[in-house]
Amino acid sequence: MPRPHSWADRLLTLPGGRKGKWLTLIAWLITVAVSVPLAGQLSGIEKDELTVELPRGAESTDVAGLADRFADGRISLGIVVYAHADGLTAEDRAKVAADVKEYAALAAGPVEPARPSADGKALTVLVPLDKEDSTALADNAKKVRERATADRPDGLEAKLTGPAGNSLDATDARESTGRALTVITVLVVAALLLITYRSAILWLLPLLIVGVALLTTQAVSYLLAKGFGLTVGGGNEIVVTALLFGVGTDYAMLLLARYREELRVHDDRHRAAQIASRRAVPAIAASAATVSIGLLCLTQADVGFNYTLGPSGAIAIVCGLAAMTTLFPAVLVLLGRWVFWPNVPRAAVAVKNADHRLWDRIGGRISRRPRPVWIGSALVLAVLALGSLGLRTGLDDDHLVVGKPGSIAGQDLLAAHYPAGQSRPAQVISRADAAPAIAASLKGIDGIAEVAPAEKSTDGTLAVTRAVLKDSADSEAAARTVDRIRTAVHAVPDADAKVGGPTAMAQEKAEAQAHDRKVVIPLVLAVVFLVLVALLRALVAPLLLMATVVLSYFAALGISRQLFQHVLGFPAVDVQVMLIGFLFLVALGVDYNIFLIHRIREEVGHRGHHAGVLSGLTSTGGVITSAGAVLAATFAALTTAPQVAFIEIGIVVAVGVLIDTFLVRSVLVPALALDVGRRFWWPGRPAATDAAPPATGERLAPAAVSADSGGGRI
């Protein structure tokens, strides 16, 4: 191989050099030392999850943003519901009265006596809690819940609901999911790496490097949030962690596979690492560019979860790329060949392994009749995609999480004994002088059970009027009532009225998600296409690859929909799944095609089109399949979360990655490349850039090895 001269070559080969490995390690030690204290401060600047997830520019978002201008704007209301199916007893009432006294010590304002229901079977206590300190809010809400459920007379139910109860359940779910996901992901990835490499040490290194990348991601996110106003949402952390573990491990496996190949050619491990980086990193960098730029397309989204996920995910991908292409090669070279023990690769013994024999056979069968193979594969995907027809989006409150947390059970108790919208009223914020007209416009609207007196803001310029709905806040009937409220209050002259509350939020979030799909999906497709064109210097191949990935997405959606409906019992798909699933599957699905086609292009330049396609498939088949299994397992770990949205995202991405790994990349794309022939690379044509590599599995003569090694056996 010619010695590298360009700055890009020198940069790629620096971490594997004799001096470069030490410079790289020192740089990363400094980075870790700086990142530890910064990463620890990230949780302190995460934005409130509810506010972050709301659509930008929506009325309900404006209403939520104006909440702190009212006296109760810094209050998170806990609603404690007590109910007895056979009617409240004297003992029940005594328990509630005692609890009210206990709540007073935790509350940020007066706790009024319990409010009885019309049927005499329930009491509610409103406990105002300070929400300025999220940690204190969670602690106090937990104490309220514990007090309510302690020492209950037989037959008395007690549940904490309302904003404080919802927030507590969300915090509990996020914390338990984060811990469980990290543990499960590490165990799954470790097991797959151990099976793949059968090494006592090697499986640990990618996990350690991903840990460094995660720490760096948190530190960079903190700096960008403090210095440039980056919005950091706590709800994104779960998805970002899964993405970084999956993609980072994939990058490690691909680089490791190429390094092991070169160790069987070169005595000098430094030279092997440098050549491996020079040949593998461009494809890995193209993959990272595809995913990170695709994620940045989410900055054009309206829904808060989407546009905050974009930058957070892109930062994670870039940090993962940096760690895996610099720190990982340096550590590998520093530790030497023994990390592969007991299967230590030696120069001049590059014998064809079982993986290569398997992929040789697969390639041979595809090459006999490539056209029927790709047509048959495409038809299979099309049939699977039919399962997505009739897909419903949007989950009601009862299906947002698996099981029934206390806040949801509390809402059910409220709905059974009070007007269904008691705990989640519609809110209308208007100019203060228009409040009487707003209240008058609300009275008599079908679907409203009660209109509360208006409350003025602390500066006296605004007023909020709350309307209790007759129907549950997540019902279609409540949505129609909110539409009537909008029509009525917008007709009040000079009121500047805005409608908010849970029902309005859900409506506008669904509308914003529809907008995001129309805007972001074409952007992602354009970005992925341009990256492929730049990498392959072709037009036909990128178009064909894009078509296979999109078809794969709909096939994954079809399979997943059947699992959701018939196995898991989910009545619909969360509104976020369609877009996030598409983004991850298109970007990550193209990843494996990038790894495959980049290697095929290299082989075609040496061997010709037909032989190059088969050689590229044989060379990458085992490692890409293993990488796909790791990535699928990583996202499948999201199914341990209680949130249905995360479960559905995990299943869609895991199924899609498996389809891409075992059908699209392994069968469909090679068959297309063989059938289309050299036109696959139009208008370019692959050319050899280095000396022709040995045929896959060819045993090298020791003399040839020593002549190229530039050093003694290590």
Side-chain angles (χ1 to χ4, degrees):
M1 185 189 84
R3 294 184 64 83
H5 296 292
S6 72
W7 66 268
D9 284 335
R10 294 182 183 277
L11 189 62
L12 286 178
T13 57
L14 176 67
R18 296 182 184 278
K19 294 180 180 179
K21 66 175 182 287
W22 295 111
L23 295 174
T24 303
L25 286 170
I26 291 170
W28 273 104
L29 285 173
I30 295 172
T31 300
V32 169
V34 172
S35 297
V36 169
L38 296 176
Q41 300 179 63
L42 181 63
S43 60
I45 61 170
E46 289 178 346
K47 302 294 185 182
D48 177 70
E49 189 172 349
L50 174 62
T51 305
V52 167
E53 288 192 357
L54 294 179
R56 293 186 288 186
E59 278 191 34
S60 59
T61 306
D62 292 340
V63 169
L66 292 169
D68 60 0
R69 294 182 60 179
F70 293 85
D72 62 357
R74 297 178 181 179
I75 296 298
S76 182
L77 189 63
I79 303 176
V80 186
V81 190
Y82 300 87
H84 198 299
D86 298 326
L88 294 167
T89 66
E91 191 180 5
D92 295 338
R93 296 179 188 279
K95 152 72 175 170
V96 175
D99 286 354
V100 169
K101 294 179 181 179
E102 295 288 337
Y103 298 151
L106 302 170
V111 180
E112 298 179 358
R115 302 178 182 181
S117 63
D119 61 9
K121 296 181 178 180
L123 292 168
T124 59
V125 180
L126 306 183
V127 185
L129 299 174
D130 189 349
K131 70 176 182 181
E132 289 298 293
D133 185 338
S134 59
T135 303
L137 171 62
D139 290 341
N140 288 333
K142 191 173 295 185
K143 291 175 182 177
V144 169
R145 184 174 63 187
E146 290 171 352
R147 179 62 242 172
T149 55
D151 304 323
R152 284 175 293 131
D154 291 342
L156 181 66
E157 292 185 81
K159 301 292 182 184
L160 173 64
T161 187
N166 295 336
S167 177
L168 178 60
D169 285 342
T171 300
D172 288 345
R174 188 167 63 246
E175 289 178 353
S176 63
T177 300
R179 289 191 298 267
L181 178 67
T182 302
V183 171
I184 291 171
T185 300
V186 169
L187 291 176
V188 168
V189 172
L192 289 173
L193 289 173
L194 194 57
I195 292 169
T196 301
Y197 293 109
R198 297 181 292 279
S199 167
I201 300 295
L202 192 57
W203 63 273
L204 186 60
L205 295 183
L207 293 175
L208 292 176
I209 306 300
V210 169
V212 171
L214 182 58
L215 183 69
T216 309
T217 298
Q218 293 169 343
V220 171
S221 298
Y222 173 79
L223 291 174
L224 292 177
K226 293 293 288 185
F228 299 93
L230 174 72
T231 301
V232 180
N236 293 332
E237 183 180 354
I238 294 170
V239 177
V240 170
T241 300
L243 179 65
L244 181 55
F245 265 93
V247 172
T249 307
D250 276 5
Y251 296 163
M253 294 179 74
L254 291 159
L255 187 59
L256 196 56
R258 199 63 188 253
Y259 176 53
R260 187 164 57 175
E261 280 186 41
E262 299 302 330
L263 285 175
R264 293 189 174 118
V265 178
H266 303 285
D267 275 336
D268 185 352
R269 68 181 189 274
H270 297 89
R271 188 168 181 80
Q274 290 176 319
I275 297 173
S277 292
R278 189 163 179 258
R279 287 177 172 167
V281 169
I284 294 173
S287 162
T290 302
V291 180
S292 57
I293 299 174
L295 281 163
L296 289 176
C297 292
L298 288 174
T299 58
Q300 302 306 304
D302 281 346
V303 176
F305 179 87
N306 296 339
Y307 70 75
T308 56
L309 175 62
S312 297
I315 291 168
I317 295 298
V318 172
C319 290
L321 172 69
M324 286 302 171
T325 57
T326 59
L327 179 58
F328 190 45
V331 171
L332 286 174
V333 171
L334 179 67
L335 295 178
R337 295 175 187 260
W338 71 269
V339 297
F340 290 92
W341 184 87
N343 301 304
V344 179
R346 300 293 183 187
V349 287
V351 228
K352 188 174 291 187
N353 59 32
D355 270 350
H356 284 168
R357 288 194 294 271
L358 171 64
W359 290 101
D360 266 347
R361 289 196 298 270
I362 292 173
R365 292 179 181 179
I366 292 172
S367 67
R368 292 188 194 109
R369 302 185 67 191
R371 184 167 299 174
V373 169
W374 76 255
I375 291 175
S377 301
L379 287 175
V380 169
L381 293 174
V383 170
L384 294 175
L386 293 176
S388 64
L389 296 177
L391 184 73
R392 290 182 58 243
T393 59
L395 294 167
D396 56 32
D397 288 346
D398 286 341
H399 294 92
L400 290 176
V401 294
V402 175
K404 183 163 285 191
S407 58
I408 300 297
Q411 289 174 21
D412 290 346
L413 276 182
L414 273 178
H417 301 284
Y418 298 87
Q422 181 79 41
S423 66
R424 307 173 75 192
Q427 302 173 30
V428 181
I429 289 184
S430 64
R431 290 174 50 181
D433 56 6
I438 292 294
S441 71
L442 292 175
K443 291 177 180 177
I445 290 180
D446 185 30
I448 292 181
E450 176 187 344
V451 178
E455 175 194 343
K456 285 190 177 182
S457 61
T458 52
D459 62 5
T461 61
L462 300 175
V464 59
T465 306
R466 295 181 175 87
V468 177
L469 307 181
K470 292 180 180 178
D471 303 290
S472 177
D474 62 341
S475 65
E476 293 183 6
R480 291 192 294 269
T481 301
V482 168
D483 287 339
R484 291 191 287 270
I485 290 173
R486 283 199 183 98
T487 301
V489 301
H490 289 166
V492 176
D494 300 322
D496 295 334
K498 298 179 184 295
V499 181
T503 306
M505 289 177 185
Q507 281 183 304
E508 291 179 328
K509 190 174 180 180
E511 292 168 2
Q513 283 286 2
H515 161 272
D516 291 353
R517 290 194 292 270
K518 292 176 184 177
V519 171
V520 175
I521 286 177
L523 277 176
V524 172
L525 290 174
V527 163
V528 172
F529 177 73
L530 291 175
V531 171
L532 287 173
V533 169
L535 178 69
L536 302 178
R537 298 187 287 280
L539 290 176
V540 173
L543 286 172
L544 292 176
L545 294 178
M546 292 295 297
T548 64
V549 171
V550 171
L551 184 57
S552 172
Y553 164 72
F554 283 105
L557 203 59
I559 295 174
S560 299
R561 186 220 171 182
Q562 302 307 311
L563 291 174
F564 299 156
Q565 184 173 345
H566 300 296
V567 178
L568 299 174
F570 300 154
V573 172
D574 187 85
V575 291
Q576 294 173 165
V577 172
M578 298 282 286
L579 178 58
I580 301 303
F582 179 87
L583 171 64
F584 284 169
L585 279 185
V586 169
L588 297 175
V590 165
D591 267 8
Y592 296 119
N593 285 324
I594 286 175
F595 301 142
L596 171 65
I597 298 300
H598 185 267
R599 184 60 180 265
I600 286 178
R601 193 177 193 281
E602 178 184 331
E603 297 291 337
V604 167
H606 297 307
R607 309 176 190 281
H609 181 77
H610 188 277
V613 170
L614 297 180
S615 179
L617 175 62
T618 299
S619 301
T620 62
V623 64
I624 295 181
T625 301
S626 299
V630 169
L631 185 61
T634 302
F635 274 93
L638 286 175
T639 59
T640 61
Q643 300 95 329
V644 171
F646 288 149
I647 294 173
E648 291 181 336
I649 289 172
I651 289 175
V652 169
V653 176
V655 169
V657 168
L658 290 176
I659 290 174
D660 278 326
T661 302
F662 291 100
L663 180 58
V664 174
R665 191 271 315 159
S666 302
V667 178
L668 178 55
V669 170
L672 272 172
L674 288 170
D675 190 34
V676 174
R678 288 189 172 274
R679 290 170 297 175
F680 190 75
W681 309 105
W682 185 88
R685 182 176 179 180
T689 54
D690 297 317
T696 303
E698 179 181 318
R699 186 182 296 273
L700 301 176
V705 174
S706 59
D708 185 50
S709 66
R713 180 180 292 274
I714 303 297

